[in-house]
Amino acid sequence: MPPFPPLTRRALLTGSALLAGAGLLPRAARAAVGEGTAVRLSAGPARATLAGAGFPDTAVWAYDGRIPGPELRFRQGDTARIAFANGLPEPTTIHWHGLRVPNAMDGVPGPSLPPVPAGGRFDYEFPLKDAGTFWYHPHVNSGVQVAHGLTGAFIVEEREPIRVDRDLLWLLGDWRLTKEAELAGGFGHPMDATHAGRLGNTVTINGAVRDSVPVRAGERVRLRLINAANARVFALDFQGHAPRVIALDGQPVTPHAPPDGKVVLAPGQRADLVIDMEGRPGEGFDVVDGFYPRMAYRLTRLTYSGEAPLRDSPLDSPIALAANPLPEPDLAGPVRQDVVLDGGMHGAMPKSAGPRGPFWALNGVASMGHHHLEPLITVKRGQTQVTAFVNETGWWHPMHLHGFPFRVLSRNGRPAEHREWRDTVLLGPRETAEIAFVAEEAGDWMLHCHVLEHQETGMMAVLRVTA
């Protein structure tokens, strides 16, 4: 990771907002839409106030000129219709991360559809089978386009939501800025690609550094967290509070306290939390990100208003979410194909590795950012697939599968405590994770590391589902 530029170092290491009067935390811009409503969405150059007061605006790429893009919000059972226009100087697509969509709507250039050219348009349309917290981003030149700001939340509300006082979204971004608050260059640098990826030096919540988030004593908050960073893994400690995890990657899970009190989110992952605000009026509690040793910093601070508590005791209402209609894997006779992750600095790099890669491989096969690949795994539609990811590298890898949420069966040989559904599973150095899913829909589906610099320098493959 490069040295922190002097003017933005404070924003990362202290979480100081550098904002005059933080006031109420603004919601991400929302497009609340429903059945029969078409959403117009465009991508193009824009400028955004990322680092805060005292810094210049940053030249970015944005959806509808906003960082993050508009929060698209539907209800389960709706049909999403998005009329997309590409105002970028290069081709792009939109991938609807975590949503079960038809293969032609998955936003992957080549296997599902051609890229949308500069100045071009494309209409996305798909049914919304699952409620939950999802997000959208490009799948062309991803390491550059996501790092420039092309991210947004996609929320599918339950038909019968749980009772909370507020439903909040924190889309977490990570930016590598110069001292003039411009995006630093060096995209695809081998140092990033062979190590932890493009880690930034300025972390934002909904597109800005936030000094504080106002809360009220006695209220119950549903907090939707999305990690939209290229490479940064978060481990959030909500000091003075006891968050309960109710969903992971958009899929309901038995409510539980996060392990060791820290909510760990790798790139691409999401978590829905329920937090009862049990502090007293006028108090404040830090939210600290401590994933990287010796690099902990304050992300923000939960600041209690001086108002009287909303209620004297926590809300007496269930917080478990209804399950989504996912097909349960049949473990009696699954198809099995394990995937070995290799490469990177201190690993066995592909023999063809040069100054620009490939630096990573899956089962010894390296891609180079393009999506026209021979299948690594082939399975028939309707079959259950079991895969063990075996990380033989010294680095962290969030492995993301398009099209099919999967059960996490075990980690490092031990049964997974919650057998959660996920679409992105994080593997630490030398770790393993075993997953299972039903191959519902035919087509070529991408499997890749969501550290985007790893994805684009070898760590991407195709899962082919035949009819």
Side-chain angles (χ1 to χ4, degrees):
M1 188 171 180
F4 300 118
L7 291 185
T8 55
R9 185 175 190 271
R10 178 169 172 248
L12 176 64
L13 296 186
T14 70
S16 178
L18 309 175
L19 295 171
L24 290 174
L25 178 69
R27 284 196 66 87
R30 174 188 287 193
V33 292
E35 186 67 36
T37 303
V39 179
R40 295 189 180 278
L41 189 68
S42 63
R47 296 195 71 86
T49 305
L50 297 177
F55 292 93
D57 287 351
T58 304
V60 296
W61 290 348
Y63 293 115
D64 286 3
R66 306 165 179 172
I67 298 292
E71 176 188 330
L72 304 182
R73 193 171 275 253
F74 296 81
R75 294 188 72 191
Q76 189 174 17
D78 289 348
T79 295
R81 296 178 176 87
I82 297 99
F84 174 63
N86 180 15
L88 298 173
E90 62 184 52
T92 191
T93 62
I94 302 180
H95 169 55
W96 312 98
H97 186 120
L99 288 161
R100 291 190 289 160
V101 301
N103 188 259
M105 295 289 111
D106 193 43
V108 174
S112 62
L113 79 169
V116 182
R121 297 176 178 271
F122 185 82
D123 293 337
Y124 292 93
E125 182 174 334
F126 45 87
L128 297 170
K129 303 175 183 179
D130 303 327
T133 301
F134 307 100
W135 67 299
Y136 59 96
H137 63 83
H139 226 280
V140 174
N141 195 18
S142 302
V144 172
Q145 293 192 9
V146 171
H148 272 75
L150 288 171
T151 63
F154 194 112
I155 308 300
V156 184
E157 297 176 344
E158 299 87 8
R159 287 289 174 178
E160 297 182 6
I162 60 173
R163 183 184 171 193
V164 296
D165 298 302
R166 283 198 293 163
D167 184 331
L168 295 182
L169 166 70
W170 288 5
L171 187 144
L172 304 175
D174 180 36
W175 308 81
R176 185 179 294 180
L177 302 179
T178 69
K179 63 182 180 180
E180 292 82 21
E182 290 298 325
L183 284 176
F187 292 99
H189 194 284
M191 181 63 72
D192 293 331
T194 58
H195 290 73
R198 184 182 167 97
L199 296 175
N201 52 24
T202 303
V203 174
T204 57
I205 298 174
N206 295 344
V209 178
R210 310 283 182 188
D211 183 55
S212 65
V213 175
V215 298
R216 183 177 176 183
E219 71 172 336
R220 173 170 286 181
V221 170
R222 177 176 181 170
L223 179 59
R224 301 174 187 262
L225 298 169
I226 300 173
N227 183 351
N230 269 40
R232 179 174 294 279
V233 184
F234 294 90
L236 302 183
D237 180 3
F238 290 80
Q239 297 182 354
H241 294 80
R244 286 164 288 175
V245 180
I246 62 169
L248 292 167
D249 289 358
Q251 302 298 334
V253 67
T254 301
H256 63 275
D260 301 320
K262 293 180 175 59
V263 181
V264 175
L265 285 177
Q269 291 186 324
R270 291 88 66 211
D272 287 39
L273 312 178
V274 166
I275 307 177
D276 287 314
M277 299 300 170
E278 298 184 280
R280 296 184 299 241
E283 289 188 319
F285 297 88
D286 289 343
V287 180
V288 175
D289 175 17
F291 182 80
Y292 298 97
R294 300 181 300 278
M295 290 174 58
Y297 66 97
R298 179 164 64 86
L299 174 66
T300 191
R301 185 172 177 84
L302 301 180
T303 304
Y304 282 75
S305 71
E307 297 175 273
L310 187 63
R311 56 180 61 88
D312 295 328
S313 59
L315 184 64
D316 185 14
S317 179
I319 62 173
L321 299 170
N324 283 319
L326 296 170
E328 190 67 41
D330 179 7
L331 301 180
V335 176
R336 185 171 190 111
Q337 172 67 67
D338 295 345
V339 175
V340 176
L341 289 57
D342 212 340
M345 186 59 63
H346 311 305
M349 289 193 191
K351 292 180 180 179
S352 57
R356 291 288 174 179
F359 301 126
W360 305 93
L362 298 175
N363 286 359
V365 178
S367 67
M368 271 304 290
H370 64 82
H371 301 78
H372 298 275
L373 303 167
E374 290 299 313
L376 186 71
I377 300 172
T378 300
V379 61
K380 290 183 179 180
R381 184 176 182 179
Q383 286 186 325
T384 292
Q385 170 76 34
V386 172
T387 293
F389 292 116
V390 182
N391 183 8
E392 294 190 349
T393 82
W395 304 93
W396 292 85
H397 300 287
M399 295 302 297
H400 172 52
L401 175 63
H402 290 211
F404 314 112
F406 49 77
R407 282 277 193 200
V408 180
L409 302 179
S410 66
R411 288 179 176 273
N412 302 319
R414 297 181 179 179
E417 183 177 359
H418 301 289
R419 294 187 73 249
E420 67 267 23
W421 292 100
R422 303 213 70 139
D423 56 61
T424 308
V425 62
L426 178 63
L427 292 96
R430 316 300 174 185
E431 286 190 339
T432 63
E434 187 179 48
I435 68 165
F437 61 92
V438 177
E440 286 187 274
E441 178 152 344
D444 282 1
W445 301 91
M446 306 312 297
L447 168 66
H448 63 88
C449 177
H450 222 282
V451 172
L452 298 179
E453 291 71 33
H454 296 173
Q455 169 197 307
E456 296 193 341
T457 56
M459 199 167 274
M460 181 164 62
V462 163
L463 166 79
R464 177 166 292 169
V465 180
T466 60

